[in-house]
Amino acid sequence: MNAVERFFSKLPRQRRKDTLFDSPDERIAAIKGYIEHHNANDARPVRCSSKPEDLIEAWKRGHQMLQEMTSNE
């Protein structure tokens, strides 16, 4: 999720900062233009260095913590 969050955090800084749009269609066009430019010039593969079993264990721990938090309410 962090790669997705970083991608969209760049959007206001690089394309929409201090921009006023007259319509939602203009905003959508600006976002699509940003994505097309990024894909053509800046996109790089995301490499995950974690082992699948480590990710599964982390998910299980997080899920267990959430269950414990909601059962205590």
Side-chain angles (χ1 to χ4, degrees), residues 4-50:
V4 173
E5 291 168 348
R6 280 193 303 269
F7 173 80
F8 282 105
S9 74
K10 290 180 186 178
L11 179 60
R13 292 191 309 261
Q14 294 182 356
R15 290 292 174 162
R16 292 191 306 119
K17 186 178 181 178
D18 300 325
T19 303
L20 298 174
F21 299 100
D22 292 327
S23 71
D25 290 337
E26 286 184 14
R27 181 181 294 264
I28 290 168
I31 292 169
K32 286 182 178 180
Y34 171 76
I35 292 170
E36 289 170 6
H37 179 270
H38 173 80
N39 288 343
N41 301 294
D42 301 323
R44 293 182 204 93
V46 176
R47 305 256 188 252
C48 183
S49 59
S50 300

Side-chain angles (χ1 to χ4, degrees), residues 49-72:
S49 59
S50 300
K51 296 177 186 172
E53 51 273 4
D54 294 339
L55 295 172
I56 292 169
E57 286 303 314
W59 179 85
K60 287 179 181 177
R61 286 191 305 274
H63 184 70
Q64 182 179 358
M65 287 176 61
L66 287 173
Q67 284 183 323
E68 290 172 1
M69 289 170 41
T70 56
S71 67
N72 291 334

